[in-house]
Amino acid sequence: MATTDDALHAAGEAAAEHGGVFPPFDTSTFASQLLWLVIAFGLVYYVISKIAGPRISGILEDRHDRIASDLAEAERLKRETDEAMETYEKALTDARARAQSLASETRDKLTAETTAKRQASEEALSSKLAEAETRIETIKAEALGQVDSIATDAVSAIMEKLAPKAPTAAAVTKAVAASAES
């Protein structure tokens, strides 16, 4: 504790030596304090205006230029991106149009081919149907031509079994023809 008491005692003696007034508030030293204030302010102003100010101004100008160039570059890249998107959209639209055109052409081609095949098939079926109808008419005509002879043979066979005396072929033919007319 002796060191703390000694320090306080030394401070008290220094204050008594100066008359107990805080030196910056001592009126007897105002003139010299103002002179040193003006000199210090002038030096600081000179250093700031001649050395620090231009450096700070240069740094701010460089930053401004860099920001301006970055903004210009960003704008250029944005334009390029927009142009690329426009080109992409146009290419996509063209591709869709070509795809629709190709699909339409393919559909039309397949429809034409299918129609041609269907017509060919219908013509082939029509000709086969005509042939079949012709054959049926021929067979029908032959069958109808043979009906009289079959009927005559059948009637002759039946009459031989039923009647004791078989009728003549001319009589049977005449009877079959008469029954076919009615």
Side-chain angles (χ1 to χ4, degrees), residues 27-44:
T27 55
S28 65
T29 60
F30 269 166
S32 68
Q33 286 179 17
L34 285 177
L35 175 69
W36 283 111
L37 175 68
V38 169
I39 292 171
F41 182 76
L43 274 173
V44 170

Side-chain angles (χ1 to χ4, degrees), residues 142-157:
E142 286 176 8
L144 287 177
Q146 292 177 1
V147 166
D148 288 340
S149 68
I150 292 172
T152 304
D153 290 342
V155 168
S156 293

